[in-house]
Amino acid sequence: MTLPDFPAHLTPTLLQGRTALVSGGVSGIGLAIAQLFEASGAKVVVADISLLGGEAPQSCPVGSGWHCDVSDEASVADLAKSVAKTGNGLDILVNCAGVPQSSTAIETMTVEAWDRIMNVNVRSLFLMTKHFLAPLKASGNGAIINICSTVGVRPKAGLAAYSASKAAAIATTQALALELAKDRVRVNGINPGATETPMLSGFSHGREVQEVVGSFASQIPMGEIIRPSDVAGAALYLASDLARLVTGVTINVDGGRTV
Ligand SMILES: NC(=O)c1ccc[n+]([C@@H]2O[C@H](COP(=O)([O-])OP(=O)(O)OC[C@H]3O[C@@H](n4cnc5c(N)ncnc54)[C@H](O)[C@@H]3O)[C@@H](O)[C@H]2O)c1
């Protein structure tokens, strides 16, 4: 397994013996998290809307892959049944699947577009937590990591729906951290700044990622666009015993943008 941006020796056993489910793990940040978790010893399961459905796991860039629309309760319930059948339990849930908003004036935004963003970015957190809570509790050492965004704390004009969805993701993370502390399930979030993934194109009216990277990087105090592996590093910390008593936080991985 080639791990871009990470020295191969860095974390070979941090997640040994754990099973991790990563939604949105086919692309971008989710893919980097799935790769780093597997390289750190975890069994990785990926759930993504872009994978084909079926009774057996699908071919996937990393781990075993299952089709799931995380905004749809029946689809999440099917995924939970499929994962339960593998008999590996579940220790770590990473809710990374998400959709962007192309900058939209509020008066031209449709109800359908608003609802889709809220359903994929927020309702999914409720559904995935609800349907995977039993194995996470049984783990005795459960961890949920929600990929939120810097715009959840520093919103942007034209991104009302996306900003609202990520602020809700942060509040959901905090409320669940309190609710699940007694069950030894830690719940944390990460706020990435602009990260070099296919999603950047979705924020930029379909312009090529390489065309827009420079303008995003110029807004970041450290002068660099965030790499998916930068976010994966924070996820690995939050998933591991290094963060044994860390719950209810959201870590900014943003080169100082939120300060
Ligand atoms: N790229 C950024 O600048 C940035 C910044 C902050 C936060 N984020 C957040 O990080 C997360 C990952 O984004 P990314 O940049 O890696 O994007 P990406 O487009 O590269 O990957 C998103 C993945 O989610 C999957 N997905 C979309 N809708 C789904 C659904 N309904 N059910 C299941 N899977 C679905 C896609 O198929 C894709 O594989 C998202 O939650 C996003 O909001 C991204």
Side-chain angles (χ1 to χ4, degrees), residues 23-30 47-50 68-71 95-100 116 120-121 147-150 162 166 191-200 203:
S23 78
V26 164
S27 173
I29 292 169
D48 201 289
I49 199 166
S50 68
C68 179
D69 176 353
V70 293
S71 67
N95 289 310
C96 187
V99 287
R116 176 161 180 267
V120 178
N121 294 359
I147 305 303
C148 309
S149 171
T150 52
Y162 186 77
K166 293 304 186 178
N191 292 335
T195 307
E196 190 170 356
T197 74
M199 186 175 281
L200 273 194
F203 284 116

Side-chain angles (χ1 to χ4, degrees), residues 15 18-21 37 90-95 132 135-137 139-146 180 183-188 235-241 243 246-247:
L15 300 182
R18 310 268 176 92
T19 300
L21 170 60
F37 280 17
L90 189 69
D91 306 287
I92 303 159
L93 168 63
V94 183
N95 289 310
F132 285 97
L136 286 166
K137 281 185 183 177
S139 156
N141 192 11
I144 299 175
I145 299 163
N146 295 326
L180 302 181
D183 302 308
R184 304 301 291 187
V185 177
R186 296 180 299 106
V187 188
N188 293 294
L236 178 59
Y237 163 69
L238 290 173
S240 77
D241 289 340
V246 177
T247 195

Side-chain angles (χ1 to χ4, degrees), residues 10 20 41 45 108 114 175 222 228 233 241 245 247 254:
L10 202 58
V45 180
T108 61
W114 179 281
M222 290 184 79
D241 289 340
L245 287 183
T247 195
D254 67 349

